[in-house]
Amino acid sequence: MTRPAIEVHVIADSTGDTAARVARAAAAQYADHDVRIMRHPRQSSMEGLEDSFSRMHPDQVRTVVFSTVVDETLRARVTQLCTERGLAHADLLEPAVTALSAVTGQAPERVVRPVGVSEDYFKRVHAMEFAVANDDGNLSNHLDEADIVLIGVSRTGKTPLSMYLGYLGYRTANIPLVPGIAPPPELREVARWKLIGLTIDPERLQQIRGRRVRAMGSSGVHKDGYTELAQIFDELDEVGRIQRSLGCPLIDTTDLALEEAAGRVIEVVDRRREAAQGR
């Protein structure tokens, strides 16, 4: 049963991405609640704060405020407004700044700066471009350039997982394996530790493919048995043999959220890379 909605209002002096990510992570712990995240980015004035708070209606929906505000005066006003309105409030930035102040012995500059425009930022942009360019077996780069190579049957989540890994900074290629068709020879040449096989529960795969076919219309069915359960069992068995022949570990995506699947992929790849390099 879904419980009454909760609105998480993100008050930020930049884009609000940091607070929104924390809000999503926290909301994941309350899966039976309808949690809605509302952003109020680039807050730089008292008037802007007042306008943002005027859009909150705690008398109609349960409301929480997450804030990441650097300016001391504005930060204090956010706290004051939350107190006056009886709103639950999480100041996400100040505890971290306080901890760094204790370590450095220096007061924070209290200057709004974009977060992520750095070497890591451009690495992630490049990785996302790589994932797009090497999606679903359409290889624009040699597989040796990839950090991770995902392989599996159609609709096991290869594309969204590739894109998310790219967002995290890992150049990821994904290659579909089709029964009766030999895998690309490049897979035999790439370092073993880069390979990750994806699998999924057959009945779950049937449901996903069925929705896909209905969305595309009957003309979207290109392969015999694409949604037939018996054929799916055979397909997964054959592809499983190919994956084992390539020596790659399998990750079952049936019940995994995207973030969790990405975490497992990274963990396995890192461990296998270190083993291969003798660390």
Side-chain angles (χ1 to χ4, degrees):
M1 180 180 70
T2 302
R3 298 173 185 262
I6 297 173
E7 287 187 354
V8 178
H9 287 261
V10 170
I11 305 292
D13 46 23
S14 188
T15 63
D17 286 343
T18 299
R21 283 196 294 270
V22 173
R24 284 194 294 271
Q29 302 303 311
Y30 299 89
D32 58 343
H33 289 73
D34 177 16
V35 179
R36 305 164 187 173
I37 299 173
M38 326 285 285
R39 293 200 201 195
H40 306 272
R42 298 182 174 83
Q43 298 293 314
S44 59
S45 67
M46 292 294 183
E47 292 77 12
L49 286 180
E50 298 288 349
D51 179 64
S52 293
F53 275 85
S54 72
R55 299 183 218 169
M56 303 177 196
H57 304 285
D59 56 325
Q60 300 174 19
V61 60
R62 290 183 291 179
T63 303
V64 181
V65 174
F66 282 16
S67 64
T68 51
V69 178
V70 170
D71 181 87
E72 187 66 37
T73 302
L74 293 177
R75 187 182 71 83
R77 183 56 177 157
V78 170
T79 300
Q80 182 182 16
L81 288 169
C82 287
T83 300
E84 291 174 354
R85 289 162 171 74
L87 299 175
H89 174 218
D91 186 332
L92 303 179
L93 186 60
E94 196 59 24
V97 170
T98 299
L100 285 174
S101 295
V103 171
T104 62
Q106 297 177 338
E109 296 178 34
R110 300 290 179 186
V111 175
V112 179
R113 293 191 178 96
V115 177
V117 182
S118 61
E119 182 179 351
D120 177 68
Y121 171 81
F122 293 107
K123 175 185 175 183
R124 289 191 289 115
V125 169
H126 177 69
M128 287 187 283
E129 292 174 343
F130 186 95
V132 171
N134 296 275
D135 179 42
D136 205 30
N138 300 310
L139 301 179
S140 299
N141 300 77
H142 196 281
L143 282 184
D144 278 345
E145 298 178 42
D147 299 314
I148 298 170
V149 180
L150 304 177
I151 57 176
V153 301
S154 170
R155 314 314 296 177
T156 49
K158 297 185 303 302
T159 292
L161 186 51
S162 294
M163 301 304 161
Y164 187 73
L165 287 165
Y167 168 76
L168 295 178
Y170 295 86
R171 291 170 299 180
T172 306
N174 78 79
I175 296 178
L177 297 180
V178 181
I181 300 178
E186 294 93 337
L187 284 178
R188 304 287 178 182
E189 302 170 3
V190 71
R192 301 293 90 186
W193 57 264
K194 296 183 178 184
L195 297 178
I196 293 289
L198 300 184
T199 190
I200 191 171
D201 176 77
E203 293 184 358
R204 176 64 175 152
L205 181 56
Q206 183 188 38
Q207 293 171 0
I208 294 172
R209 288 183 173 180
R211 287 199 298 268
R212 171 72 170 172
V213 168
R214 288 191 294 274
M216 296 177 65
S218 58
S219 62
V221 183
H222 300 296
K223 293 173 278 190
D224 292 338
Y226 183 71
T227 61
E228 295 297 325
L229 188 58
Q231 183 107 358
I232 288 174
F233 271 102
D234 292 340
E235 183 178 350
L236 289 172
D237 285 343
E238 182 175 341
V239 167
R241 288 193 291 272
I242 296 172
Q243 290 168 325
R244 289 190 293 274
S245 74
L246 290 167
C248 62
L250 294 183
I251 292 179
D252 190 329
T253 62
T254 305
D255 297 314
L256 294 182
L258 189 61
E259 296 86 351
E260 187 177 2
R264 292 195 186 182
V265 169
I266 293 167
E267 179 183 355
V268 171
V269 169
D270 284 349
R271 186 172 64 245
R272 283 164 58 84
R273 184 187 66 247
E274 290 173 2
Q277 296 174 348
R279 294 182 183 176

